[in-house]
PDB file of all heavy atoms in Angstrom:
ATOM      1  N   GLU B  64     104.493  76.969  75.819  1.00  0.00           N
ATOM      2  CA  GLU B  64     104.183  76.395  74.500  1.00  0.00           C
ATOM      3  C   GLU B  64     103.864  77.500  73.481  1.00  0.00           C
ATOM      4  O   GLU B  64     104.214  77.390  72.313  1.00  0.00           O
ATOM      5  CB  GLU B  64     103.000  75.435  74.636  1.00  0.00           C
ATOM      6  CG  GLU B  64     102.845  74.519  73.427  1.00  0.00           C
ATOM      7  CD  GLU B  64     101.711  73.518  73.602  1.00  0.00           C
ATOM      8  OE1 GLU B  64     101.193  73.371  74.726  1.00  0.00           O
ATOM      9  OE2 GLU B  64     101.357  72.899  72.587  1.00  0.00           O
ATOM     10  N   TYR B  65     103.209  78.553  73.948  1.00  0.00           N
ATOM     11  CA  TYR B  65     102.787  79.633  73.043  1.00  0.00           C
ATOM     12  C   TYR B  65     103.236  80.995  73.545  1.00  0.00           C
ATOM     13  O   TYR B  65     103.464  81.195  74.733  1.00  0.00           O
ATOM     14  CB  TYR B  65     101.257  79.661  72.935  1.00  0.00           C
ATOM     15  CG  TYR B  65     100.660  78.487  72.228  1.00  0.00           C
ATOM     16  CD1 TYR B  65     100.176  77.396  72.946  1.00  0.00           C
ATOM     17  CD2 TYR B  65     100.573  78.462  70.838  1.00  0.00           C
ATOM     18  CE1 TYR B  65      99.613  76.308  72.284  1.00  0.00           C
ATOM     19  CE2 TYR B  65     100.016  77.382  70.177  1.00  0.00           C
ATOM     20  CZ  TYR B  65      99.541  76.309  70.909  1.00  0.00           C
ATOM     21  OH  TYR B  65      98.981  75.245  70.253  1.00  0.00           O
ATOM     22  N   LYS B  66     103.292  81.936  72.571  1.00  0.00           N
ATOM     23  CA  LYS B  66     103.469  83.355  72.901  1.00  0.00           C
ATOM     24  C   LYS B  66     102.157  84.059  72.519  1.00  0.00           C
ATOM     25  O   LYS B  66     101.572  83.753  71.477  1.00  0.00           O
ATOM     26  CB  LYS B  66     104.599  83.954  72.068  1.00  0.00           C
ATOM     27  CG  LYS B  66     105.964  83.500  72.518  1.00  0.00           C
ATOM     28  CD  LYS B  66     106.654  84.603  73.323  1.00  0.00           C
ATOM     29  CE  LYS B  66     108.054  84.205  73.751  1.00  0.00           C
ATOM     30  NZ  LYS B  66     108.067  83.052  74.672  1.00  0.00           N
ATOM     31  N   TYR B  67     101.723  84.988  73.351  1.00  0.00           N
ATOM     32  CA  TYR B  67     100.421  85.631  73.145  1.00  0.00           C
ATOM     33  C   TYR B  67     100.540  87.109  72.762  1.00  0.00           C
ATOM     34  O   TYR B  67     101.434  87.800  73.231  1.00  0.00           O
ATOM     35  CB  TYR B  67      99.584  85.506  74.423  1.00  0.00           C
ATOM     36  CG  TYR B  67      99.213  84.074  74.710  1.00  0.00           C
ATOM     37  CD1 TYR B  67     100.104  83.223  75.354  1.00  0.00           C
ATOM     38  CD2 TYR B  67      98.001  83.555  74.287  1.00  0.00           C
ATOM     39  CE1 TYR B  67      99.792  81.892  75.582  1.00  0.00           C
ATOM     40  CE2 TYR B  67      97.676  82.231  74.507  1.00  0.00           C
ATOM     41  CZ  TYR B  67      98.577  81.405  75.157  1.00  0.00           C
ATOM     42  OH  TYR B  67      98.263  80.088  75.364  1.00  0.00           O
ATOM     43  N   ARG B  68      99.604  87.531  71.932  1.00  0.00           N
ATOM     44  CA  ARG B  68      99.500  88.946  71.564  1.00  0.00           C
ATOM     45  C   ARG B  68      98.025  89.321  71.462  1.00  0.00           C
ATOM     46  O   ARG B  68      97.190  88.480  71.111  1.00  0.00           O
ATOM     47  CB  ARG B  68     100.160  89.231  70.212  1.00  0.00           C
ATOM     48  CG  ARG B  68     101.658  89.148  70.228  1.00  0.00           C
ATOM     49  CD  ARG B  68     102.263  90.429  70.763  1.00  0.00           C
ATOM     50  NE  ARG B  68     103.706  90.283  70.885  1.00  0.00           N
ATOM     51  CZ  ARG B  68     104.450  91.056  71.669  1.00  0.00           C
ATOM     52  NH1 ARG B  68     103.888  92.003  72.382  1.00  0.00           N
ATOM     53  NH2 ARG B  68     105.741  90.890  71.728  1.00  0.00           N
ATOM     54  N   ILE B  69      97.746  90.591  71.736  1.00  0.00           N
ATOM     55  CA  ILE B  69      96.376  91.091  71.643  1.00  0.00           C
ATOM     56  C   ILE B  69      96.370  92.259  70.679  1.00  0.00           C
ATOM     57  O   ILE B  69      97.306  93.058  70.669  1.00  0.00           O
ATOM     58  CB  ILE B  69      95.894  91.583  73.024  1.00  0.00           C
ATOM     59  CG1 ILE B  69      96.084  90.491  74.074  1.00  0.00           C
ATOM     60  CG2 ILE B  69      94.438  92.015  72.974  1.00  0.00           C
ATOM     61  CD1 ILE B  69      95.948  91.028  75.481  1.00  0.00           C
ATOM     62  N   GLU B  70      95.347  92.357  69.874  1.00  0.00           N
ATOM     63  CA  GLU B  70      95.285  93.465  68.917  1.00  0.00           C
ATOM     64  C   GLU B  70      93.864  94.006  68.843  1.00  0.00           C
ATOM     65  O   GLU B  70      92.896  93.252  68.884  1.00  0.00           O
ATOM     66  CB  GLU B  70      95.724  92.952  67.533  1.00  0.00           C
ATOM     67  CG  GLU B  70      95.899  94.062  66.520  1.00  0.00           C
ATOM     68  CD  GLU B  70      96.413  93.565  65.174  1.00  0.00           C
ATOM     69  OE1 GLU B  70      96.416  92.345  64.928  1.00  0.00           O
ATOM     70  OE2 GLU B  70      96.800  94.421  64.357  1.00  0.00           O
ATOM     71  N   LEU B  71      93.757  95.331  68.716  1.00  0.00           N
ATOM     72  CA  LEU B  71      92.451  95.947  68.453  1.00  0.00           C
ATOM     73  C   LEU B  71      92.321  96.113  66.943  1.00  0.00           C
ATOM     74  O   LEU B  71      93.103  96.838  66.325  1.00  0.00           O
ATOM     75  CB  LEU B  71      92.339  97.305  69.146  1.00  0.00           C
ATOM     76  CG  LEU B  71      90.996  98.022  68.930  1.00  0.00           C
ATOM     77  CD1 LEU B  71      89.858  97.335  69.671  1.00  0.00           C
ATOM     78  CD2 LEU B  71      91.070  99.479  69.376  1.00  0.00           C
ATOM     79  N   LEU B  72      91.349  95.431  66.352  1.00  0.00           N
ATOM     80  CA  LEU B  72      91.159  95.531  64.901  1.00  0.00           C
ATOM     81  C   LEU B  72      90.383  96.795  64.551  1.00  0.00           C
ATOM     82  O   LEU B  72      89.726  97.388  65.403  1.00  0.00           O
ATOM     83  CB  LEU B  72      90.392  94.308  64.385  1.00  0.00           C
ATOM     84  CG  LEU B  72      91.027  92.942  64.617  1.00  0.00           C
ATOM     85  CD1 LEU B  72      90.147  91.850  64.006  1.00  0.00           C
ATOM     86  CD2 LEU B  72      92.427  92.866  64.026  1.00  0.00           C
ATOM     87  N   GLU B  73      90.448  97.164  63.289  1.00  0.00           N
ATOM     88  CA  GLU B  73      89.694  98.338  62.833  1.00  0.00           C
ATOM     89  C   GLU B  73      88.200  98.041  62.788  1.00  0.00           C
ATOM     90  O   GLU B  73      87.371  98.914  62.967  1.00  0.00           O
ATOM     91  CB  GLU B  73      90.173  98.759  61.446  1.00  0.00           C
ATOM     92  CG  GLU B  73      91.390  99.660  61.503  1.00  0.00           C
ATOM     93  CD  GLU B  73      91.937  99.989  60.138  1.00  0.00           C
ATOM     94  OE1 GLU B  73      91.167 100.479  59.303  1.00  0.00           O
ATOM     95  OE2 GLU B  73      93.129  99.731  59.917  1.00  0.00           O
ATOM     96  N   ASN B  74      87.885  96.792  62.470  1.00  0.00           N
ATOM     97  CA  ASN B  74      86.483  96.370  62.366  1.00  0.00           C
ATOM     98  C   ASN B  74      86.244  95.188  63.287  1.00  0.00           C
ATOM     99  O   ASN B  74      87.183  94.602  63.812  1.00  0.00           O
ATOM    100  CB  ASN B  74      86.181  95.943  60.929  1.00  0.00           C
ATOM    101  CG  ASN B  74      86.494  97.043  59.937  1.00  0.00           C
ATOM    102  OD1 ASN B  74      85.824  98.056  59.891  1.00  0.00           O
ATOM    103  ND2 ASN B  74      87.552  96.863  59.155  1.00  0.00           N
ATOM    104  N   LEU B  75      84.989  94.835  63.434  1.00  0.00           N
ATOM    105  CA  LEU B  75      84.654  93.645  64.210  1.00  0.00           C
ATOM    106  C   LEU B  75      85.259  92.417  63.531  1.00  0.00           C
ATOM    107  O   LEU B  75      85.425  92.403  62.308  1.00  0.00           O
ATOM    108  CB  LEU B  75      83.136  93.493  64.311  1.00  0.00           C
ATOM    109  CG  LEU B  75      82.446  94.458  65.284  1.00  0.00           C
ATOM    110  CD1 LEU B  75      80.938  94.375  65.132  1.00  0.00           C
ATOM    111  CD2 LEU B  75      82.844  94.163  66.726  1.00  0.00           C
ATOM    112  N   PRO B  76      85.598  91.374  64.313  1.00  0.00           N
ATOM    113  CA  PRO B  76      86.234  90.190  63.716  1.00  0.00           C
ATOM    114  C   PRO B  76      85.388  89.520  62.628  1.00  0.00           C
ATOM    115  O   PRO B  76      85.926  88.811  61.771  1.00  0.00           O
ATOM    116  CB  PRO B  76      86.410  89.251  64.912  1.00  0.00           C
ATOM    117  CG  PRO B  76      86.421  90.131  66.101  1.00  0.00           C
ATOM    118  CD  PRO B  76      85.518  91.291  65.776  1.00  0.00           C
ATOM    119  N   SER B  77      84.067  89.762  62.641  1.00  0.00           N
ATOM    120  CA  SER B  77      83.202  89.135  61.642  1.00  0.00           C
ATOM    121  C   SER B  77      83.204  89.900  60.309  1.00  0.00           C
ATOM    122  O   SER B  77      82.694  89.416  59.304  1.00  0.00           O
ATOM    123  CB  SER B  77      81.773  89.056  62.186  1.00  0.00           C
ATOM    124  OG  SER B  77      81.346  90.347  62.569  1.00  0.00           O
ATOM    125  N   HIS B  78      83.777  91.100  60.298  1.00  0.00           N
ATOM    126  CA  HIS B  78      83.841  91.929  59.087  1.00  0.00           C
ATOM    127  C   HIS B  78      84.780  91.297  58.051  1.00  0.00           C
ATOM    128  O   HIS B  78      85.783  90.679  58.405  1.00  0.00           O
ATOM    129  CB  HIS B  78      84.362  93.305  59.501  1.00  0.00           C
ATOM    130  CG  HIS B  78      84.259  94.344  58.425  1.00  0.00           C
ATOM    131  ND1 HIS B  78      85.191  94.453  57.423  1.00  0.00           N
ATOM    132  CD2 HIS B  78      83.354  95.316  58.203  1.00  0.00           C
ATOM    133  CE1 HIS B  78      84.850  95.460  56.630  1.00  0.00           C
ATOM    134  NE2 HIS B  78      83.728  95.993  57.089  1.00  0.00           N
ATOM    135  N   ALA B  79      84.435  91.461  56.769  1.00  0.00           N
ATOM    136  CA  ALA B  79      85.204  90.819  55.691  1.00  0.00           C
ATOM    137  C   ALA B  79      86.701  91.149  55.763  1.00  0.00           C
ATOM    138  O   ALA B  79      87.545  90.267  55.599  1.00  0.00           O
ATOM    139  CB  ALA B  79      84.639  91.237  54.340  1.00  0.00           C
ATOM    140  N   GLU B  80      87.010  92.425  56.039  1.00  0.00           N
ATOM    141  CA  GLU B  80      88.427  92.822  56.094  1.00  0.00           C
ATOM    142  C   GLU B  80      89.157  92.137  57.242  1.00  0.00           C
ATOM    143  O   GLU B  80      90.318  91.752  57.105  1.00  0.00           O
ATOM    144  CB  GLU B  80      88.541  94.343  56.242  1.00  0.00           C
ATOM    145  CG  GLU B  80      88.566  95.040  54.902  1.00  0.00           C
ATOM    146  CD  GLU B  80      88.654  96.551  55.036  1.00  0.00           C
ATOM    147  OE1 GLU B  80      89.398  97.033  55.900  1.00  0.00           O
ATOM    148  OE2 GLU B  80      87.961  97.231  54.262  1.00  0.00           O
ATOM    149  N   SER B  81      88.466  92.004  58.370  1.00  0.00           N
ATOM    150  CA  SER B  81      89.071  91.326  59.519  1.00  0.00           C
ATOM    151  C   SER B  81      89.278  89.850  59.213  1.00  0.00           C
ATOM    152  O   SER B  81      90.299  89.269  59.592  1.00  0.00           O
ATOM    153  CB  SER B  81      88.183  91.463  60.753  1.00  0.00           C
ATOM    154  OG  SER B  81      87.976  92.809  61.062  1.00  0.00           O
ATOM    155  N   ILE B  82      88.316  89.247  58.512  1.00  0.00           N
ATOM    156  CA  ILE B  82      88.429  87.828  58.166  1.00  0.00           C
ATOM    157  C   ILE B  82      89.662  87.613  57.278  1.00  0.00           C
ATOM    158  O   ILE B  82      90.445  86.690  57.500  1.00  0.00           O
ATOM    159  CB  ILE B  82      87.135  87.324  57.484  1.00  0.00           C
ATOM    160  CG1 ILE B  82      85.994  87.303  58.521  1.00  0.00           C
ATOM    161  CG2 ILE B  82      87.320  85.935  56.870  1.00  0.00           C
ATOM    162  CD1 ILE B  82      84.605  87.061  57.945  1.00  0.00           C
ATOM    163  N   THR B  83      89.850  88.508  56.298  1.00  0.00           N
ATOM    164  CA  THR B  83      91.020  88.409  55.417  1.00  0.00           C
ATOM    165  C   THR B  83      92.312  88.525  56.227  1.00  0.00           C
ATOM    166  O   THR B  83      93.264  87.777  56.019  1.00  0.00           O
ATOM    167  CB  THR B  83      90.996  89.535  54.356  1.00  0.00           C
ATOM    168  OG1 THR B  83      89.689  89.590  53.798  1.00  0.00           O
ATOM    169  CG2 THR B  83      92.005  89.307  53.262  1.00  0.00           C
ATOM    170  N   TYR B  84      92.326  89.487  57.151  1.00  0.00           N
ATOM    171  CA  TYR B  84      93.521  89.696  57.973  1.00  0.00           C
ATOM    172  C   TYR B  84      93.804  88.485  58.853  1.00  0.00           C
ATOM    173  O   TYR B  84      94.944  88.009  58.918  1.00  0.00           O
ATOM    174  CB  TYR B  84      93.347  90.956  58.820  1.00  0.00           C
ATOM    175  CG  TYR B  84      94.481  91.215  59.783  1.00  0.00           C
ATOM    176  CD1 TYR B  84      95.786  91.369  59.312  1.00  0.00           C
ATOM    177  CD2 TYR B  84      94.273  91.297  61.157  1.00  0.00           C
ATOM    178  CE1 TYR B  84      96.841  91.603  60.186  1.00  0.00           C
ATOM    179  CE2 TYR B  84      95.308  91.530  62.030  1.00  0.00           C
ATOM    180  CZ  TYR B  84      96.592  91.687  61.546  1.00  0.00           C
ATOM    181  OH  TYR B  84      97.625  91.914  62.422  1.00  0.00           O
ATOM    182  N   ILE B  85      92.770  87.972  59.516  1.00  0.00           N
ATOM    183  CA  ILE B  85      92.955  86.837  60.419  1.00  0.00           C
ATOM    184  C   ILE B  85      93.429  85.607  59.625  1.00  0.00           C
ATOM    185  O   ILE B  85      94.298  84.865  60.075  1.00  0.00           O
ATOM    186  CB  ILE B  85      91.669  86.558  61.231  1.00  0.00           C
ATOM    187  CG1 ILE B  85      91.446  87.696  62.240  1.00  0.00           C
ATOM    188  CG2 ILE B  85      91.751  85.223  61.964  1.00  0.00           C
ATOM    189  CD1 ILE B  85      90.073  87.738  62.869  1.00  0.00           C
ATOM    190  N   ARG B  86      92.923  85.447  58.410  1.00  0.00           N
ATOM    191  CA  ARG B  86      93.374  84.336  57.569  1.00  0.00           C
ATOM    192  C   ARG B  86      94.857  84.505  57.201  1.00  0.00           C
ATOM    193  O   ARG B  86      95.624  83.547  57.211  1.00  0.00           O
ATOM    194  CB  ARG B  86      92.522  84.253  56.292  1.00  0.00           C
ATOM    195  CG  ARG B  86      92.958  83.106  55.390  1.00  0.00           C
ATOM    196  CD  ARG B  86      91.975  82.853  54.292  1.00  0.00           C
ATOM    197  NE  ARG B  86      90.708  82.372  54.809  1.00  0.00           N
ATOM    198  CZ  ARG B  86      89.612  82.253  54.072  1.00  0.00           C
ATOM    199  NH1 ARG B  86      89.633  82.584  52.810  1.00  0.00           N
ATOM    200  NH2 ARG B  86      88.511  81.798  54.603  1.00  0.00           N
TER     201      ARG B  86
END
Side-chain angles (χ1 to χ4, degrees):
Chain B
E64 195 177 348
Y65 292 96
K66 287 257 182 296
Y67 293 83
R68 289 279 175 200
I69 307 166
E70 189 177 13
L71 180 71
L72 300 182
E73 275 175 54
N74 304 291
L75 285 171
S77 55
H78 190 278
E80 271 179 41
S81 301
I82 291 170
T83 313
Y84 176 59
I85 290 166
R86 180 169 294 170

